[in-house]
C-alpha cells in the first residue's frame, strides 16, 4: 500500500560513458525533447570550474553543475548536498516539480560509488530510485577503448542500457567491433543506436533483469554474468539470507545485481532488487509483474565470478538443492557453508 504522506520515489538515470563518448551531446538532445521537459539534470565535472553544464544548451534552473572532482573520487558528500538542495527546491516550489533526474558523470567515473551513495543515504533512497544506468559508447572507437581502459569497460559492464553514439561517422567494421565489445561486457544490456532513438526510450526505466542470459564466460577480462531463476516463490527471510551471504562472500566481485523476486508473502507483485557491490538498495515492490513470466529472475554481473558457486548459493535458498548435482561441490566450496549439518544437511 502506498503511504499518501510519502511521495513516490522519482526515477533517477545515471548517464555515464568514457571521455568524449558523447554524453553531453546526448543530454542536449534529451533536453530538447518535449517528452523530457520535466527532467532535472545534474552534471558532474572534473575541473575546479565546471564547463560541461555551460555546454548543456538548455541550462535552465533544473541543470545543476557539480564541479571540483569526480563522483567516484571525492565529491560524494557534494552529490548528497546537491540532491538534497534539489529536492528542497522542488518541495518548496522554488523549482518546478521535476518528475525525474538525470545525472551525467565524468568520463572517468566508476558508476558504483555514485550509485552506492544514492542507495545508502536514508533520505535520498526514499526519494529516488535508480531507474537505469545508461552508458554512452562511441561506436567509432569502442573496440580499442574497451580493450585498453578499465574505466570504460566497467562503465559498460554496469549498464542497463547502452547508447551507441557516432554511428554516423563510424565504419560498419567499427560499429560491429563496438557491438561485440559491448555484448561481451554487458550481455544483459539493451543496445540502442543513439542517433535515431526516441529520447524517452533512451532514459526509460529498466525494471528487472533482461532475459535470455546464461552464465557463459564473456571472454573479456574476467567480467561475466550469472543468471539465477526459480519457479517457486521465495520467503522474504530466504531472500534476505541469500543477500547477506552474497554480500559477505562475493561482494568484492559483484559489480551489479538486479532482479525481480517472487515472494511467498506477496506473489502478485514483484520485488525489484538491486545491488552495487556490497550495497543493496531498499527493495521496492512494483505494482504488477511486467509480463506473463512470474518467476524470480536475478542477474549478477561481476569480475571473476564463479557461476557454479553463485548459482549453487541461490539454489540453496530457492529450495533447489539437489545434493548429488555438480553444484554441490560449488556449494560446499563456499567458506560460509558448513561442511556438514548446514544447508546440505
Ligand atoms: N559525428 C558525431 N559526433 C558526435 C556524436 N556525439 C558526440 N559527438 C562529438 O564528440 C565530441 C565529444 O562529445 P561530448 O558530448 O562532449 O562528449 P562527452 O562524453 O560529454 O565528453 P566528456 O564530458 O569530455 O567526457 C564532440 O565534438 C561532439 O560533437 C555523434 O553521435 N556523432
Amino acid at each position: 500500500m502506498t503511504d499518501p504522506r510519502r511521495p513516490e520515489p522519482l526515477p533517477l538515470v545515471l548517464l555515464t560513458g568514457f571521455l568524449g563518448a558523447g554524453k553531453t551531446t546526448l543530454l542536449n538532445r534529451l533536453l530538447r525533447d518535449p517528452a523530457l521537459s520535466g527532467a532535472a539534470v545534474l552534471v558532474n565535472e572534473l575541473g575546479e570550474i565546471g564547463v560541461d553544464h555551460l555546454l548543456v544548451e538548455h541550462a535552465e534552473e533544473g541543470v545543476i553543475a557539480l564541479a571540483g572532482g569526480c563522483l567516484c573520487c571525492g565529491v560524494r558528500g557534494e552529490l548528497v548536498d546537491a540532491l538534497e538542495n534539489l529536492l528542497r527546491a522542488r518541495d518548496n516550489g522554488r523549482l518546478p516539480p521535476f518528475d525525474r533526474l538525470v545525472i551525467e558523470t565524468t568520463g572517468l567515473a566508476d558508476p558504483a560509488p555514485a550509485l552506492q551513495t544514492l542507495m545508502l543515504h536514508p533520505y535520498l533512497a526514499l526519494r529516488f530510485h535508480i531507474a537505469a544506468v545508461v552508458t554512452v559508447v562511441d561506436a567509432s572507437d569502442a573496440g580499442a577503448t574497451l580493450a585498453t581502459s578499465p574505466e570504460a569497460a566497467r562503465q559498460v559492464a554496469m549498464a542497463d542500457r547502452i547508447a551507441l553514439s557516432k554511428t554516423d561517422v563510424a565504419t560498419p567494421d567499427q560499429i560491429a567491433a563496438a557491438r561485440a565489445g559491448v555484448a561481451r561486457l554487458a550481455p544483459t544490456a539493451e543496445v540502442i543506436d543513439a542517433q535515431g532513438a526516441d529520447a524517452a526510450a533512451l532514459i526509460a526505466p529498466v525494471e528487472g533483469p533482461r532475459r535470455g542470459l546464461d552464465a557463459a564466460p564473456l571472454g573479456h577480462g574476467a567480467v561475466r554474468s550469472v543468471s539465477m531463476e526459480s519457479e517457486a516463490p521465495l520467503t522474504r527471510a530466504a531472500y534476505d539470507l541469500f543477500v547477506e551471504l552474497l554480500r559477505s562472500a562475493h561482494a568484492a566481485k559483484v559489480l551489479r545485481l538486479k532482479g525481480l523476486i517472487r515472494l511467498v508473502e506477496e506473489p502478485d507483485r514483484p520485488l525489484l532488487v538491486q545491488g552495487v557491490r556490497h550495497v543493496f538498495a531498499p527493495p521496492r515492490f512494483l505494482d504488477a509483474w511486467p509480463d506473463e513470466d512470474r518467476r524470480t529472475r536475478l542477474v549478477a554481473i561481476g569480475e571473476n565470478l564463479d557461476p557454479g558457486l553463485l548459482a549453487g548459493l541461490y539454489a540453496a535458498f530457492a529450495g533447489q538443492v539437489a545434493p548429488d548435482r555438480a553444484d554441490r561441490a560449488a556449494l560446499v566450496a563456499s567458506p560460509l557453508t558448513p561442511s556438514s549439518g548446514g544447508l546440505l544437511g
Side-chain angles (χ1 to χ4, degrees), residues 54-306:
L54 303 175
L55 304 177
V56 176
E57 289 160 12
H58 290 242
E60 290 158 11
E61 288 171 23
V63 179
I64 293 182
L66 191 64
C70 169
L71 278 183
C72 66
C73 308
V75 297
R76 277 187 266 174
E78 289 166 41
L79 171 67
V80 170
D81 290 347
L83 293 182
E84 284 178 341
N85 289 337
L86 203 59
L87 287 170
R88 204 169 299 120
R90 180 184 188 271
D91 292 345
N92 64 23
R94 278 188 290 118
L95 270 183
F98 57 89
D99 59 10
R100 70 191 91 191
L101 175 69
V102 180
I103 300 181
E104 180 193 341
T105 70
T106 68
L108 290 174
D110 175 352
L115 293 171
Q116 291 177 335
T117 301
L118 294 162
M119 291 155 83
L120 278 174
H121 192 280
Y123 182 61
L124 296 178
L126 283 179
R127 297 296 305 270
F128 292 108
H129 70 89
I130 295 160
V133 176
V134 179
T135 302
V136 182
V137 171
D138 178 345
S140 68
D141 173 64
T145 304
L146 294 180
T148 54
S149 161
E151 293 91 353
R154 187 161 289 173
Q155 290 165 347
V156 167
M158 302 277 291
D160 293 307
R161 182 177 294 123
I162 302 288
L164 271 189
S165 66
K166 309 192 193 180
T167 49
D168 55 330
V169 289
T171 65
D173 282 354
Q174 287 171 332
I175 295 176
R179 284 187 173 274
V182 162
R184 280 195 302 272
L185 285 164
T188 66
E190 175 185 19
V191 182
I192 298 189
D193 184 339
Q195 290 276 320
D198 179 49
L202 281 165
I203 60 164
V206 179
E207 295 193 319
R210 291 171 57 77
R211 292 145 175 282
L213 313 168
D214 56 35
L218 304 176
H220 184 291
V223 178
R224 67 169 76 205
S225 75
V226 179
S227 55
M228 294 155 271
E229 297 180 344
S230 57
E231 198 81 47
L234 268 77
T235 62
R236 178 66 191 248
Y239 167 72
D240 288 343
L241 273 172
F242 167 69
V243 168
E244 271 317 301
L245 267 180
L246 186 71
R247 285 170 61 175
S248 48
H250 301 283
K253 298 175 183 172
V254 177
L255 288 173
R256 198 132 188 247
L257 178 117
K258 195 161 181 178
L260 296 177
I261 310 287
R262 183 164 184 227
L263 288 182
V264 170
E265 294 87 344
E266 194 101 28
D268 294 331
R269 296 194 299 160
L271 188 69
L272 175 63
V273 299
Q274 58 174 314
V276 174
R277 296 196 178 277
H278 60 284
V279 174
F280 279 69
R284 184 169 69 88
F285 280 109
L286 301 182
D287 289 340
W289 286 86
D291 53 30
E292 295 299 301
D293 189 350
R294 297 185 162 210
R295 288 171 309 157
T296 291
R297 289 164 263 160
L298 275 168
V299 176
I301 312 265
E303 292 165 336
N304 300 312
L305 281 181
D306 178 338

